[in-house]
Amino acid sequence: MGRAALNWSTQELARKSDVGANTVNRFEAGQDARVSSVDKMRKAMEDAGVVFISDGETSAGGGPGVRQAK
């Protein structure tokens, strides 16, 4: 959802997070990915303004998800 909020392609997220496009595809398909790769993808999206909402945090719609920072 973070990648979609930024309107980034798989290749763009891969480039900005310094991981392979196959890694992005595998992760988005629910397959295993290294924690370090997930951390890199998350940081790239956070640096671009995505806010990740965890269980127990408040969001406009409630529940876990993502939103863009104001």
Side-chain angles (χ1 to χ4, degrees):
M1 289 180 65
R3 183 173 66 78
L6 294 167
N7 198 30
W8 284 358
S9 67
T10 302
Q11 293 79 13
E12 190 167 7
L13 175 57
R15 183 174 44 80
K16 290 179 183 275
S17 57
D18 195 30
V19 300
N22 286 337
T23 298
V24 175
N25 288 328
R26 281 194 313 271
F27 179 72
E28 289 183 350
Q31 298 173 3
D32 288 338
R34 291 183 178 168
V35 172
S36 61
S37 296
V38 175
D39 289 344
K40 288 178 180 182
M41 290 185 282
R42 181 178 180 136
K43 182 174 180 345
M45 288 184 278
E46 287 175 336
D47 289 350
V50 169
V51 176
F52 289 86
I53 305 162
S54 300
D55 283 330
E57 291 184 333
T58 304
S59 69
V66 300
R67 68 172 180 256
Q68 287 186 288
K70 293 182 180 181

